[in-house]
Amino acid sequence: MDLLVATRNAHKTREIRQILGPGFAVSDLCSHEIPEVHESGKSFEENATLKAVAISKYFPGLVVADDSGLEVDALGGAPGVFSARYAGHEASDKQNIQKLLGALARIEPRAKRSARFRCVIALARRGELLGTFEGIVEGTITEQARGLRGFGYDPIFIPCGFQQTFAGLPAEVKNRISHRAKAIRLLAANLAPLKTRG
Ligand code: ITT
């Protein structure tokens, strides 16, 4: 089954490909000249919907968009929908992580470090939204970055029930328990009927 992922984030595409497995031919926007979609929504669901619906007007077939990010309780849910640009529009993962650890350290030395990754996947076809699917993984924020795998905030997030950060755990483990894995599994369950309807 062909699926276009409305993203320019190659890390997301790689994870979605691994989570879906060999039954899906997954491509993304990295090789397409398509105008940027302005992520003006206040929630992951709004932004995922904006991306999926806008991009599905340019391509035939099924389009999915992933909007995701980290919510830190002691920061009132920040960086949330601003996760990619927390330290500025061109910020690197390292700069975003530094800003977040700095903000947590300033609150109080023993601030509550609970957090969650949230992912909403929106599915659209020919400009029409077909559904949204959400996945959440709870965890805690470390004091320092640990591990070299993954992307984004992976080096500072330890999922509940584990000792290592997402950047320290093997990709197969992250892709089994992550926010994205949960959302994609819900999506996959809803794709089967569409496959037969074409
Ligand atoms: P697209 O909009 O092109 O899909 P993006 O990276 O800008 O790419 P988002 O607006 O959804 O995507 O921002 C997601 C950010 O949240 C991402 O850049 C990371 O900083 C963070 N994030 C999301 N999922 C993550 C994960 O699995 N591990 C680490 N960080 C993650």
Side-chain angles (χ1 to χ4, degrees):
M1 187 176 205
D2 292 329
L3 215 53
L4 176 71
V5 185
T7 186
R8 287 187 174 80
N9 183 330
H11 301 284
K12 283 186 183 177
T13 311
R14 190 184 57 225
E15 290 190 0
I16 291 170
R17 216 174 254 141
Q18 283 176 6
I19 295 162
L20 281 171
F24 293 83
V26 176
S27 58
D28 66 16
L29 298 180
C30 290
S31 49
H32 294 281
E33 294 284 320
I34 295 285
E36 195 94 14
V37 179
H38 185 47
E39 296 184 34
S40 54
K42 290 190 178 62
S43 66
F44 295 110
E45 184 170 2
E46 270 183 73
N47 282 336
T49 301
L50 278 172
K51 289 190 267 190
V53 169
I55 299 300
S56 72
K57 292 177 183 161
Y58 290 92
F59 296 95
L62 294 169
V63 172
V64 298
D66 164 317
D67 204 65
S68 46
L70 183 65
E71 298 172 346
V72 180
D73 290 328
L75 302 177
V81 290
F82 301 107
S83 292
R85 46 198 151 119
Y86 186 46
H89 271 278
E90 298 298 319
S92 64
D93 289 344
K94 205 171 166 188
Q95 288 168 324
N96 284 333
I97 284 176
Q98 267 168 1
K99 179 171 175 183
L100 196 144
L101 292 181
L104 264 184
R106 273 193 302 278
I107 291 176
E108 51 169 298
R110 300 230 133 258
K112 209 167 118 221
R113 298 185 85 88
S114 55
R116 70 203 52 75
F117 271 121
R118 193 184 296 273
C119 172
V120 175
I121 299 282
L123 172 68
R125 185 167 48 191
R126 295 184 212 103
E128 185 198 351
L129 179 70
L130 301 179
T132 59
F133 310 95
E134 184 177 78
I136 295 171
V137 59
E138 299 283 344
T140 52
I141 302 297
T142 55
E143 308 234 338
Q144 283 172 0
R146 285 197 252 144
L148 299 171
R149 298 188 184 94
F151 71 101
Y153 299 90
D154 281 344
I156 57 166
F157 182 84
I158 301 181
C160 284
F162 291 81
Q163 306 291 323
Q164 285 172 286
T165 64
F166 264 162
L169 289 166
E172 305 82 74
V173 176
K174 180 184 176 191
N175 289 335
R176 198 173 65 235
I177 64 167
S178 78
H179 50 314
R180 186 160 294 108
K182 291 173 182 171
I184 290 285
R185 278 201 294 267
L186 289 175
L187 165 77
N190 283 274
L191 282 176
L194 288 171
K195 194 175 179 180
T196 47
R197 266 183 260 145

Coordinates of all heavy atoms in Angstrom, one line a residue, residues 72-164:
V72 N 6.3 18.9 29.0 CA 7.0 18.8 30.3 C 6.1 19.5 31.4 O 5.7 20.6 31.3 CB 8.4 19.5 30.3 CG1 9.0 19.4 31.6 CG2 9.2 18.9 29.2
D73 N 5.7 18.7 32.4 CA 4.7 19.1 33.3 C 5.2 20.4 34.1 O 4.4 21.3 34.2 CB 4.4 18.0 34.3 CG 3.6 16.9 33.7 OD1 2.8 17.2 32.7 OD2 3.7 15.7 34.0
A74 N 6.4 20.4 34.5 CA 6.9 21.6 35.3 C 7.0 22.8 34.5 O 7.2 23.9 35.0 CB 8.3 21.2 35.9
L75 N 6.9 22.7 33.1 CA 7.0 23.9 32.3 C 5.6 24.1 31.7 O 5.4 24.8 30.7 CB 7.9 23.6 31.1 CG 9.4 23.3 31.5 CD1 10.2 23.1 30.3 CD2 10.0 24.5 32.3
G76 N 4.5 23.6 32.4 CA 3.2 23.9 32.0 C 2.8 23.3 30.6 O 2.0 23.8 29.9
G77 N 3.5 22.2 30.3 CA 3.2 21.5 29.0 C 4.1 22.0 27.8 O 4.0 21.4 26.7
A78 N 5.0 22.9 28.1 CA 5.9 23.4 27.1 C 7.0 22.3 26.9 O 7.2 21.5 27.8 CB 6.6 24.7 27.5
P79 N 7.7 22.2 25.7 CA 7.5 23.0 24.5 C 6.2 22.7 23.7 O 5.9 23.5 22.8 CB 8.8 22.8 23.7 CG 9.3 21.5 24.2 CD 8.8 21.3 25.6
G80 N 5.6 21.5 23.9 CA 4.3 21.2 23.2 C 4.4 21.4 21.7 O 5.4 20.9 21.1
V81 N 3.4 22.1 21.1 CA 3.4 22.2 19.6 C 4.6 23.1 19.1 O 4.8 23.1 17.9 CB 2.1 22.9 19.1 CG1 0.9 22.0 19.3 CG2 1.8 24.2 19.8
F82 N 5.3 23.7 20.0 CA 6.5 24.5 19.6 C 7.8 23.7 19.7 O 8.9 24.2 19.6 CB 6.6 25.8 20.4 CG 5.4 26.6 20.3 CD1 4.5 26.8 21.3 CD2 5.2 27.3 19.1 CE1 3.4 27.5 21.2 CE2 4.0 28.1 19.0 CZ 3.1 28.2 20.0
S83 N 7.7 22.4 19.9 CA 8.9 21.5 20.2 C 10.0 21.7 19.1 O 11.2 21.8 19.5 CB 8.5 20.0 20.3 OG 7.7 19.8 21.4
A84 N 9.6 21.7 17.9 CA 10.7 21.8 16.8 C 11.4 23.2 16.8 O 12.5 23.3 16.5 CB 10.0 21.6 15.4
R85 N 10.7 24.2 17.3 CA 11.3 25.6 17.2 C 11.3 26.2 18.6 O 11.2 27.4 18.7 CB 10.4 26.4 16.2 CG 8.9 26.3 16.4 CD 8.1 26.8 15.2 NE 6.9 26.0 15.2 CZ 5.6 26.6 15.2 NH1 5.5 27.8 15.4 NH2 4.6 25.8 15.2
Y86 N 11.5 25.4 19.6 CA 11.5 25.9 21.0 C 12.6 27.0 21.2 O 12.3 28.0 21.8 CB 11.7 24.7 22.0 CG 11.6 25.0 23.4 CD1 10.6 25.7 24.0 CD2 12.6 24.5 24.3 CE1 10.5 25.9 25.4 CE2 12.5 24.7 25.7 CZ 11.5 25.4 26.2 OH 11.4 25.6 27.5
A87 N 13.8 26.7 20.7 CA 14.9 27.7 20.9 C 15.0 28.6 19.7 O 16.1 29.2 19.5 CB 16.2 26.9 21.2
G88 N 14.0 28.7 18.8 CA 14.1 29.6 17.6 C 13.8 28.8 16.4 O 13.9 27.5 16.4
H89 N 13.5 29.5 15.3 CA 13.0 28.8 14.1 C 14.0 27.9 13.4 O 13.7 26.9 12.9 CB 12.5 29.9 13.1 CG 11.1 30.1 13.3 ND1 10.1 29.3 12.7 CD2 10.4 31.1 14.0 CE1 8.9 29.8 13.1 NE2 9.1 30.8 13.9
E90 N 15.3 28.3 13.5 CA 16.3 27.4 12.9 C 17.1 26.6 14.0 O 18.2 26.1 13.7 CB 17.4 28.3 12.1 CG 16.7 29.1 11.0 CD 16.2 28.2 9.9 OE1 16.8 27.2 9.5 OE2 15.1 28.5 9.4
A91 N 16.5 26.5 15.1 CA 17.2 25.8 16.3 C 17.6 24.4 16.0 O 16.8 23.7 15.4 CB 16.4 26.0 17.5
S92 N 18.7 24.0 16.4 CA 19.1 22.6 16.3 C 18.5 21.8 17.5 O 18.1 22.4 18.5 CB 20.6 22.4 16.4 OG 21.1 22.9 17.6
D93 N 18.5 20.4 17.4 CA 18.1 19.6 18.5 C 18.9 19.9 19.8 O 18.3 20.0 20.9 CB 18.3 18.1 18.2 CG 17.3 17.6 17.1 OD1 16.3 18.3 16.8 OD2 17.6 16.6 16.5
K94 N 20.2 20.2 19.6 CA 21.0 20.4 20.8 C 20.6 21.7 21.5 O 20.5 21.8 22.7 CB 22.5 20.5 20.3 CG 23.5 20.2 21.3 CD 24.9 20.1 20.7 CE 25.9 20.2 21.9 NZ 27.2 20.3 21.4
Q95 N 20.3 22.7 20.7 CA 19.9 24.0 21.2 C 18.5 23.9 21.9 O 18.3 24.5 23.0 CB 19.8 25.1 20.1 CG 21.2 25.5 19.6 CD 21.1 26.4 18.4 OE1 20.2 26.1 17.5 NE2 22.0 27.3 18.2
N96 N 17.6 23.2 21.4 CA 16.3 22.9 22.0 C 16.5 22.2 23.3 O 15.9 22.6 24.3 CB 15.4 22.1 21.1 CG 14.8 22.9 19.9 OD1 14.7 24.1 20.0 ND2 14.5 22.3 18.8
I97 N 17.3 21.2 23.3 CA 17.6 20.4 24.6 C 18.2 21.3 25.6 O 17.8 21.3 26.8 CB 18.5 19.2 24.3 CG1 17.6 18.2 23.6 CG2 19.1 18.7 25.5 CD1 18.4 16.9 23.1
Q98 N 19.2 22.2 25.2 CA 19.9 23.1 26.2 C 18.9 24.0 26.8 O 18.9 24.2 28.0 CB 21.0 23.9 25.5 CG 22.3 23.2 25.6 CD 23.3 23.8 24.7 OE1 23.1 24.8 24.0 NE2 24.5 23.2 24.7
K99 N 18.0 24.6 26.0 CA 17.0 25.5 26.5 C 16.1 24.8 27.5 O 15.8 25.4 28.5 CB 16.2 26.1 25.3 CG 15.1 27.1 25.8 CD 14.5 27.9 24.7 CE 13.3 28.7 25.4 NZ 12.6 29.5 24.4
L100 N 15.7 23.6 27.1 CA 14.7 22.9 28.0 C 15.4 22.5 29.4 O 14.8 22.8 30.4 CB 14.2 21.7 27.3 CG 13.0 21.0 27.9 CD1 12.1 20.5 26.8 CD2 13.3 19.9 28.9
L101 N 16.6 22.0 29.3 CA 17.3 21.7 30.6 C 17.5 22.9 31.4 O 17.4 22.9 32.7 CB 18.6 20.9 30.3 CG 18.4 19.5 29.7 CD1 19.8 18.9 29.5 CD2 17.6 18.6 30.5
G102 N 17.9 24.0 30.8 CA 18.1 25.3 31.5 C 16.8 25.8 32.1 O 16.8 26.2 33.3
A103 N 15.7 25.7 31.4 CA 14.4 26.1 32.0 C 14.0 25.3 33.2 O 13.6 25.8 34.2 CB 13.3 26.1 30.9
L104 N 14.2 24.0 33.1 CA 13.9 23.1 34.2 C 14.8 23.4 35.4 O 14.3 23.4 36.5 CB 14.1 21.6 33.8 CG 12.8 20.9 33.3 CD1 13.1 19.5 33.0 CD2 11.7 21.0 34.3
A105 N 16.1 23.6 35.2 CA 17.0 23.8 36.2 C 16.7 25.1 37.0 O 16.9 25.2 38.2 CB 18.4 23.9 35.7
R106 N 16.2 26.1 36.2 CA 15.9 27.4 36.9 C 14.6 27.4 37.8 O 14.5 28.1 38.7 CB 15.7 28.5 35.8 CG 17.0 29.2 35.4 CD 16.7 30.4 34.6 NE 15.9 30.1 33.4 CZ 16.4 29.7 32.2 NH1 17.7 29.4 32.2 NH2 15.7 29.4 31.2
I107 N 13.7 26.5 37.5 CA 12.5 26.4 38.2 C 12.7 26.1 39.7 O 12.4 26.8 40.6 CB 11.5 25.4 37.6 CG1 11.0 25.9 36.3 CG2 10.3 25.2 38.6 CD1 10.1 25.0 35.5
E108 N 13.4 25.0 40.0 CA 13.9 24.7 41.3 C 14.8 23.4 41.1 O 14.5 22.6 40.2 CB 12.8 24.4 42.3 CG 11.7 23.4 41.8 CD 10.8 22.9 42.8 OE1 11.3 22.3 43.8 OE2 9.6 23.2 42.7
P109 N 15.8 23.2 41.9 CA 16.7 22.1 41.6 C 16.0 20.8 41.6 O 16.4 19.9 40.8 CB 17.7 22.2 42.8 CG 17.5 23.5 43.5 CD 16.1 24.0 43.1
R110 N 15.0 20.6 42.4 CA 14.3 19.3 42.4 C 13.0 19.3 41.7 O 12.0 18.7 42.2 CB 14.2 18.7 43.8 CG 15.5 18.6 44.5 CD 15.6 17.2 45.2 NE 16.9 16.6 44.9 CZ 17.1 15.7 44.0 NH1 16.1 15.2 43.3 NH2 18.3 15.2 43.8
A111 N 12.9 20.1 40.7 CA 11.6 20.2 40.0 C 11.1 18.9 39.5 O 11.9 18.0 39.2 CB 11.7 21.1 38.8
K112 N 9.8 18.7 39.5 CA 9.2 17.5 39.0 C 9.6 17.3 37.5 O 9.5 18.3 36.7 CB 7.6 17.7 39.0 CG 6.9 16.4 39.2 CD 5.4 16.8 39.6 CE 4.5 16.2 38.5 NZ 3.5 17.1 38.1
R113 N 10.1 16.1 37.1 CA 10.6 16.0 35.8 C 9.7 15.1 34.9 O 10.2 14.6 33.9 CB 12.0 15.5 35.9 CG 12.9 16.5 36.6 CD 14.4 16.1 36.6 NE 15.1 16.5 35.4 CZ 15.7 17.7 35.2 NH1 15.7 18.6 36.2 NH2 16.3 18.0 34.1
S114 N 8.4 15.0 35.3 CA 7.6 14.1 34.5 C 7.2 14.8 33.1 O 7.2 16.1 33.1 CB 6.3 13.8 35.2 OG 5.7 15.0 35.6
A115 N 7.1 14.0 32.1 CA 6.8 14.5 30.8 C 6.2 13.5 29.9 O 6.2 12.3 30.3 CB 8.2 15.0 30.2
R116 N 5.8 13.9 28.7 CA 5.3 12.9 27.8 C 5.5 13.3 26.4 O 5.5 14.5 26.1 CB 3.8 12.6 28.0 CG 2.8 13.7 27.6 CD 1.5 13.6 28.3 NE 1.7 13.5 29.7 CZ 2.0 14.5 30.5 NH1 2.2 15.7 30.0 NH2 2.2 14.3 31.8
F117 N 5.7 12.4 25.5 CA 5.7 12.6 24.1 C 4.3 12.4 23.6 O 3.7 11.4 23.9 CB 6.7 11.7 23.3 CG 8.1 12.2 23.2 CD1 9.1 11.4 23.7 CD2 8.4 13.3 22.5 CE1 10.4 11.8 23.6 CE2 9.7 13.8 22.4 CZ 10.7 13.0 22.9
R118 N 3.8 13.3 22.7 CA 2.5 13.1 22.1 C 2.6 13.2 20.6 O 3.4 14.0 20.1 CB 1.6 14.2 22.6 CG 0.1 14.0 22.3 CD -0.7 15.2 22.8 NE -0.7 15.4 24.2 CZ -1.5 14.9 25.1 NH1 -2.5 14.0 24.7 NH2 -1.4 15.2 26.3
C119 N 1.9 12.3 19.9 CA 1.9 12.3 18.5 C 0.5 12.2 17.9 O -0.2 11.3 18.4 CB 2.8 11.1 18.0 SG 2.7 10.8 16.2
V120 N 0.1 13.0 17.0 CA -1.1 12.9 16.3 C -0.8 12.7 14.9 O -0.1 13.4 14.2 CB -2.1 14.1 16.5 CG1 -3.3 13.9 15.7 CG2 -2.4 14.3 18.0
I121 N -1.4 11.6 14.3 CA -1.3 11.3 12.9 C -2.7 11.6 12.2 O -3.7 11.2 12.7 CB -1.0 9.8 12.7 CG1 0.3 9.4 13.3 CG2 -1.0 9.4 11.2 CD1 1.6 9.7 12.6
A122 N -2.6 12.5 11.2 CA -3.8 12.8 10.5 C -3.8 12.1 9.1 O -2.7 12.0 8.5 CB -4.0 14.3 10.3
L123 N -4.9 11.5 8.7 CA -5.0 10.8 7.4 C -5.9 11.6 6.5 O -7.1 11.9 6.9 CB -5.5 9.4 7.6 CG -5.9 8.5 6.4 CD1 -4.6 8.1 5.6 CD2 -6.6 7.3 6.9
A124 N -5.5 11.9 5.3 CA -6.3 12.6 4.3 C -6.2 12.1 2.9 O -5.2 11.4 2.6 CB -6.0 14.1 4.3
R125 N -7.2 12.4 2.1 CA -7.2 12.0 0.7 C -7.9 13.1 -0.1 O -9.0 13.4 0.3 CB -7.9 10.6 0.5 CG -7.7 10.1 -0.9 CD -8.1 8.6 -1.1 NE -9.4 8.3 -0.4 CZ -9.8 7.1 -0.2 NH1 -9.1 6.1 -0.5 NH2 -11.0 6.9 0.4
R126 N -7.3 13.6 -1.1 CA -7.9 14.6 -2.0 C -8.5 15.8 -1.2 O -9.6 16.1 -1.5 CB -8.9 14.0 -3.0 CG -8.3 13.0 -4.0 CD -9.4 12.5 -4.9 NE -9.1 11.1 -5.3 CZ -9.7 10.0 -4.8 NH1 -10.7 10.2 -4.0 NH2 -9.4 8.8 -5.2
G127 N -7.8 16.3 -0.3 CA -8.2 17.4 0.5 C -9.3 17.1 1.5 O -9.8 18.1 2.2
E128 N -9.5 15.9 1.8 CA -10.6 15.5 2.8 C -9.9 14.8 4.0 O -9.2 13.8 3.8 CB -11.6 14.6 2.1 CG -12.8 14.3 3.0 CD -13.6 13.1 2.5 OE1 -13.3 12.6 1.4 OE2 -14.4 12.6 3.3
L129 N -10.2 15.2 5.2 CA -9.7 14.5 6.4 C -10.5 13.2 6.6 O -11.7 13.2 6.7 CB -9.9 15.4 7.6 CG -9.3 14.8 8.9 CD1 -7.8 14.7 8.9 CD2 -9.8 15.7 10.1
L130 N -9.7 12.1 6.7 CA -10.4 10.8 6.9 C -10.3 10.4 8.4 O -11.1 9.5 8.8 CB -9.7 9.7 6.1 CG -9.7 10.0 4.5 CD1 -9.0 8.8 3.8 CD2 -11.2 10.1 4.0
G131 N -9.4 10.9 9.2 CA -9.3 10.5 10.6 C -8.0 11.0 11.2 O -7.1 11.4 10.5
T132 N -8.0 11.1 12.6 CA -6.8 11.4 13.3 C -6.6 10.3 14.4 O -7.6 9.8 14.9 CB -6.9 12.8 14.0 OG1 -8.0 12.8 14.9 CG2 -7.0 13.9 13.0
F133 N -5.3 10.1 14.7 CA -5.0 9.0 15.6 C -3.9 9.5 16.6 O -2.9 10.0 16.1 CB -4.5 7.8 14.8 CG -5.4 7.4 13.7 CD1 -5.3 7.9 12.4 CD2 -6.6 6.7 14.0 CE1 -6.2 7.6 11.4 CE2 -7.5 6.4 13.0 CZ -7.3 6.9 11.7
E134 N -4.1 9.3 17.9 CA -3.1 9.9 18.9 C -2.4 8.8 19.6 O -3.0 7.8 20.0 CB -3.9 10.8 19.8 CG -3.0 11.5 20.8 CD -3.7 12.4 21.7 OE1 -4.3 12.0 22.7 OE2 -3.6 13.6 21.5
G135 N -1.1 9.0 19.9 CA -0.4 8.1 20.7 C 0.4 9.0 21.8 O 0.9 10.1 21.4
I136 N 0.5 8.4 23.0 CA 1.3 9.1 24.1 C 2.2 8.1 24.7 O 1.8 7.0 24.9 CB 0.2 9.6 25.1 CG1 -0.7 10.7 24.5 CG2 1.0 10.2 26.3 CD1 -1.8 11.1 25.4
V137 N 3.4 8.6 25.1 CA 4.3 7.8 26.0 C 4.7 8.7 27.1 O 5.2 9.8 26.9 CB 5.5 7.2 25.2 CG1 6.4 8.2 24.5 CG2 6.3 6.3 26.1
E138 N 4.5 8.2 28.3 CA 4.9 8.9 29.5 C 6.3 8.6 29.9 O 6.9 7.5 29.6 CB 4.0 8.5 30.7 CG 2.5 8.8 30.5 CD 2.1 10.2 30.7 OE1 2.9 11.0 31.3 OE2 1.0 10.5 30.2
G139 N 7.0 9.6 30.6 CA 8.4 9.4 31.0 C 8.9 10.5 31.9 O 8.1 11.3 32.4
T140 N 10.2 10.6 32.0 CA 10.8 11.6 32.8 C 12.0 12.2 32.0 O 12.6 11.6 31.1 CB 11.4 11.1 34.1 OG1 12.2 10.0 33.8 CG2 10.3 10.7 35.1
I141 N 12.3 13.5 32.4 CA 13.4 14.2 31.7 C 14.7 14.0 32.6 O 14.7 14.2 33.8 CB 13.1 15.7 31.6 CG1 11.8 15.9 30.8 CG2 14.2 16.5 31.0 CD1 11.8 15.4 29.4
T142 N 15.8 13.7 31.9 CA 17.1 13.5 32.6 C 17.7 14.9 32.9 O 17.2 15.9 32.4 CB 18.1 12.7 31.7 OG1 18.1 13.4 30.4 CG2 17.6 11.3 31.4
E143 N 18.8 14.9 33.7 CA 19.5 16.1 33.9 C 20.5 16.5 32.8 O 20.8 17.6 32.6 CB 20.3 16.0 35.3 CG 19.4 15.5 36.4 CD 19.3 16.4 37.6 OE1 20.3 17.2 37.8 OE2 18.4 16.3 38.4
Q144 N 20.9 15.4 32.1 CA 21.9 15.6 31.0 C 21.5 14.7 29.8 O 20.9 13.7 30.1 CB 23.3 15.2 31.4 CG 24.0 16.2 32.3 CD 25.3 15.7 32.9 OE1 25.7 14.6 32.6 NE2 25.9 16.5 33.7
A145 N 21.9 15.1 28.6 CA 21.7 14.3 27.4 C 22.5 13.0 27.5 O 23.6 13.0 28.0 CB 22.1 15.1 26.2
R146 N 21.8 11.9 27.2 CA 22.4 10.5 27.2 C 22.0 9.7 26.0 O 20.8 9.6 25.7 CB 22.0 9.8 28.4 CG 22.6 10.2 29.7 CD 22.4 9.2 30.8 NE 21.5 9.6 31.8 CZ 20.6 8.8 32.3 NH1 20.5 7.5 32.0 NH2 19.7 9.2 33.3
G147 N 23.0 9.2 25.2 CA 22.6 8.3 24.1 C 22.7 9.0 22.8 O 22.6 10.3 22.7
L148 N 23.0 8.3 21.7 CA 23.3 8.9 20.4 C 22.2 8.5 19.3 O 22.3 9.0 18.2 CB 24.7 8.3 19.9 CG 25.8 8.7 20.8 CD1 27.1 8.0 20.4 CD2 26.1 10.2 20.8
R149 N 21.3 7.7 19.7 CA 20.3 7.3 18.6 C 19.2 8.3 18.6 O 19.1 9.2 19.4 CB 19.7 5.9 18.9 CG 20.8 4.8 19.0 CD 20.1 3.4 19.1 NE 21.0 2.3 19.2 CZ 21.4 1.8 20.4 NH1 21.0 2.3 21.5 NH2 22.3 0.8 20.4
G150 N 18.2 8.1 17.6 CA 17.0 8.9 17.5 C 17.2 10.3 17.1 O 18.2 10.6 16.3
F151 N 16.4 11.2 17.5 CA 16.5 12.6 17.1 C 15.7 13.5 18.2 O 15.2 12.9 19.2 CB 15.8 12.8 15.7 CG 14.3 12.6 15.7 CD1 13.5 13.7 15.7 CD2 13.7 11.4 15.7 CE1 12.1 13.6 15.6 CE2 12.3 11.2 15.7 CZ 11.5 12.3 15.7
G152 N 15.7 14.8 17.9 CA 15.0 15.7 18.8 C 15.3 15.6 20.2 O 16.5 15.6 20.6
Y153 N 14.3 15.4 21.1 CA 14.5 15.3 22.5 C 14.8 13.9 23.0 O 14.8 13.7 24.3 CB 13.3 15.9 23.2 CG 13.0 17.3 22.9 CD1 12.2 17.7 21.8 CD2 13.5 18.4 23.6 CE1 11.9 19.0 21.5 CE2 13.3 19.7 23.3 CZ 12.5 20.0 22.2 OH 12.2 21.3 21.9
D154 N 15.1 13.0 22.1 CA 15.3 11.6 22.6 C 16.4 11.4 23.7 O 16.3 10.6 24.6 CB 15.7 10.7 21.4 CG 14.4 10.3 20.6 OD1 13.3 10.4 21.1 OD2 14.6 9.8 19.4
P155 N 17.5 12.2 23.6 CA 18.6 12.0 24.6 C 18.2 12.4 26.0 O 19.0 12.1 26.9 CB 19.7 13.0 24.0 CG 19.4 13.2 22.6 CD 17.9 13.1 22.5
I156 N 17.1 13.1 26.2 CA 16.8 13.6 27.6 C 15.4 12.9 28.0 O 14.9 13.3 29.1 CB 16.7 15.1 27.7 CG1 15.7 15.7 26.7 CG2 18.1 15.7 27.6 CD1 15.4 17.2 27.1
F157 N 14.9 12.0 27.3 CA 13.6 11.4 27.7 C 13.7 9.9 28.0 O 14.1 9.1 27.2 CB 12.6 11.6 26.6 CG 11.2 11.1 26.9 CD1 10.3 11.8 27.6 CD2 10.8 9.8 26.5 CE1 9.0 11.4 27.9 CE2 9.6 9.3 26.8 CZ 8.7 10.1 27.5
I158 N 13.4 9.6 29.3 CA 13.4 8.1 29.7 C 12.0 7.7 29.8 O 11.2 8.2 30.6 CB 14.1 7.9 31.0 CG1 15.5 8.4 31.0 CG2 14.0 6.4 31.5 CD1 16.3 8.2 32.3
P159 N 11.6 6.7 28.9 CA 10.2 6.3 29.0 C 9.9 5.5 30.3 O 10.8 4.8 30.8 CB 10.0 5.4 27.7 CG 11.4 5.0 27.4 CD 12.3 6.1 27.8
C160 N 8.7 5.5 30.8 CA 8.4 4.8 32.1 C 8.7 3.3 31.9 O 8.4 2.7 30.9 CB 6.9 5.0 32.4 SG 6.5 6.6 33.0
G161 N 9.3 2.7 32.9 CA 9.6 1.3 32.9 C 11.0 1.0 32.3 O 11.4 -0.2 32.2
F162 N 11.7 2.0 31.9 CA 13.1 1.8 31.3 C 14.1 2.6 32.1 O 13.8 3.5 32.8 CB 13.1 2.2 29.8 CG 12.3 1.2 29.0 CD1 10.9 1.4 28.9 CD2 12.9 0.2 28.3 CE1 10.1 0.5 28.1 CE2 12.1 -0.7 27.5 CZ 10.7 -0.5 27.4
Q163 N 15.4 2.3 31.9 CA 16.5 3.0 32.6 C 17.2 3.9 31.6 O 17.9 4.8 32.0 CB 17.5 2.0 33.1 CG 17.0 0.9 34.0 CD 16.5 1.4 35.3 OE1 17.1 2.3 35.8 NE2 15.4 0.9 35.8
Q164 N 17.1 3.6 30.3 CA 17.8 4.4 29.3 C 16.9 5.4 28.6 O 15.7 5.2 28.5 CB 18.4 3.5 28.3 CG 19.6 2.7 28.7 CD 20.0 1.7 27.7 OE1 19.3 0.7 27.5 NE2 21.1 2.0 27.0

